[in-house]
Amino acid sequence: MASTTAATPAPTVPAIRARRRADGAEPLVMVTAYDAPGARMVADSGADMILVGDSLAMVVLGYDDTLQVTVDDMAHHTAAVARGLSTWKPAREGARRPLVVGDLPWLSYHLGPIDAVQNAAALVRAGAQAVKLEGGAKRVTVIEAIVDAEIPVMGHLGLTPQSVHAMGGFKVQGKETQAALALVQDAKRLEAAGCFALVLEGVPDQVASLVTRSVGIPTIGIGAGAGCDGQVLVFHDLLGLEDRMAPKFVRRYASLRHDAVDALSAFADDVRSGAFPSEAETYHLTDDVAEELRLYA
Ligand code: KIV
């Protein structure tokens, strides 16, 4: 159903910050997107936030980890998402413009606050309303600097993919008591530094629930159980566009890769058999012009 009604405005950062389930709020929904059509689909789904994640590296650009993408890559894709939303018209009931969060890639905030603020600003200028970065207490100085520059920051704790080598792989974090308590302390430090929300990735559900109860900002889980204030999934995982790996925490709501390959094969078959294009898919000259052209044949 195409609609001409105005899009519901994107939720503001303060509105997201207030979305705590403990206070009776509805769970937050965040989905990644990396381009204009993806952004418009997420907006039509009614999700609260789009994360232009550095998972871009793995699900779109073909790398094995997220360490390969740069600020320029992230800005390029954030701009595509923002352009998609700027021309978007709601196509169904419940559709809404999502808040856009740009992911700061590896090494864009590790070299000091000035660098971090400049890189965060590049994502804001590309169209993000907030940025996300990974890590705990040791990120407090850069988070404070970015927040000081009036750029809202979402934290990311637990299995932080930019630390894949330091962690020794993509492994569930916080499984032992001390590690779980360290996550709680990190979450409190990020809240105090000014983060408006926290992604909790790859942690046992009891630990995610403990973190969620210990802070006053919403937690958004991915592989962190049902006790968070919201959930995020990667677009390509959720839709079955990426089906090479199936992490335990992914629920596939469609099999788009399978459907796409079927459609592409049908096209190839039709071209080879001559069934495509048909008359209906073909432009024709007027009879007069066709007749004139015949003289030149
Ligand atoms: O880059 C990303 O997609 C993410 C999500 C997994 C939270 O950081």
Side-chain angles (χ1 to χ4, degrees), residues 30 32 34 51-56 66 103 132 134 156 161 199 201 222 232-234:
M30 184 160 83
T32 67
Y34 316 93
L51 171 65
V52 188
D54 64 355
S55 48
L56 166 76
T66 60
D103 216 358
K132 177 172 83 57
E134 298 182 5
H156 185 160
V199 168
E201 178 168 357
I222 175 162
V232 53
L233 278 181
V234 168

Side-chain angles (χ1 to χ4, degrees), residues 14 23 36-37 88 97 101 104 122 134 146 163 174-175 180 201 206 210 215-217 220 228 241 248 258 289 291 297:
D23 301 329
W88 168 73
R97 189 179 295 278
V101 181
L104 282 167
E134 298 182 5
I146 298 170
S163 316
K175 284 173 28 177
E201 178 168 357
Q206 300 94 328
L210 179 62
V215 293
I217 52 176
I220 303 168
C228 296
L241 276 165
K248 177 183 168 78
H258 183 269
V289 178
E291 190 51 41

Side-chain angles (χ1 to χ4, degrees), residues 171-222:
K171 293 181 177 160
V172 174
Q173 301 293 302
K175 284 173 28 177
E176 306 300 332
T177 307
Q178 286 316 313
L181 294 176
L183 273 178
V184 173
Q185 287 315 313
D186 276 343
K188 289 182 172 172
R189 296 288 301 275
L190 294 198
E191 178 183 14
C195 286
F196 72 97
L198 289 179
V199 168
L200 296 179
E201 178 168 357
V203 294
D205 59 347
Q206 300 94 328
V207 178
S209 295
L210 179 62
V211 171
T212 302
R213 284 197 301 274
S214 307
V215 293
I217 52 176
T219 59
I220 303 168
I222 175 162

Side-chain angles (χ1 to χ4, degrees), residues 39 127 129 179 207 217 257 259 263 275 296:
Q129 285 97 49
V207 178
I217 52 176
R257 184 181 186 284
D259 294 348
Y296 296 90

Side-chain angles (χ1 to χ4, degrees), residues 20-290:
R20 298 258 310 148
R21 282 173 69 197
D23 301 329
E26 201 180 36
L28 284 163
V29 179
M30 184 160 83
V31 181
T32 67
Y34 316 93
D35 58 19
R40 289 193 289 259
M41 284 185 248
V42 176
D44 277 330
S45 77
D48 300 295
M49 286 181 279
I50 283 180
L51 171 65
V52 188
D54 64 355
S55 48
L56 166 76
M58 298 171 79
V59 296
V60 176
L61 301 181
Y63 294 113
D64 287 338
D65 57 46
T66 60
L67 305 179
Q68 311 302 329
V69 281
T70 63
V71 173
D72 284 350
D73 294 326
M74 295 307 302
H76 181 77
H77 286 267
T78 302
V81 163
R83 281 194 296 274
L85 294 178
S86 72
T87 53
W88 168 73
K89 298 261 185 307
R92 48 190 278 173
E93 210 60 41
R96 73 172 313 180
R97 189 179 295 278
L99 184 89
V100 177
V101 181
D103 216 358
L104 282 167
W106 176 61
L107 227 54
S108 70
Y109 54 94
H110 304 71
L111 304 179
I114 295 177
D115 208 34
V117 171
Q118 277 167 348
N119 289 326
L123 298 192
V124 170
R125 289 196 169 132
Q129 285 97 49
V131 297
K132 177 172 83 57
L133 58 81
E134 298 182 5
K138 60 185 169 188
R139 303 289 168 234
V140 161
T141 310
V142 292
I143 292 170
E144 285 172 346
I146 298 170
V147 171
D148 237 33
E150 313 300 347
I151 301 173
V153 178
M154 178 181 281
H156 185 160
L157 292 173
L159 193 175
T160 46
Q162 291 173 14
S163 316
V164 59
H165 299 309
M167 290 182 309
F170 296 106
K171 293 181 177 160
V172 174
Q173 301 293 302
K175 284 173 28 177
E176 306 300 332
T177 307
Q178 286 316 313
L181 294 176
L183 273 178
V184 173
Q185 287 315 313
D186 276 343
K188 289 182 172 172
R189 296 288 301 275
L190 294 198
E191 178 183 14
C195 286
F196 72 97
L198 289 179
V199 168
L200 296 179
E201 178 168 357
V203 294
D205 59 347
Q206 300 94 328
V207 178
S209 295
L210 179 62
V211 171
T212 302
R213 284 197 301 274
S214 307
V215 293
I217 52 176
T219 59
I220 303 168
I222 175 162
C228 296
D229 296 300
Q231 299 290 328
V232 53
L233 278 181
V234 168
F235 186 92
H236 290 59
D237 290 339
L238 188 166
L239 294 177
L241 276 165
E242 172 58 76
D243 64 359
R244 288 170 301 174
M245 288 182 298
K248 177 183 168 78
F249 59 81
V250 168
R251 185 179 297 175
R252 296 207 196 288
Y253 288 85
S255 311
L256 293 196
R257 184 181 186 284
H258 183 269
D259 294 348
V261 172
D262 279 355
L264 293 165
S265 308
F267 171 64
D269 289 349
D270 284 353
V271 170
R272 289 181 185 128
S273 71
F276 180 88
S278 68
E279 278 292 292
E281 290 147 345
T282 303
Y283 299 108
H284 295 293
L285 289 171
T286 61
D287 289 349
D288 288 355
V289 178

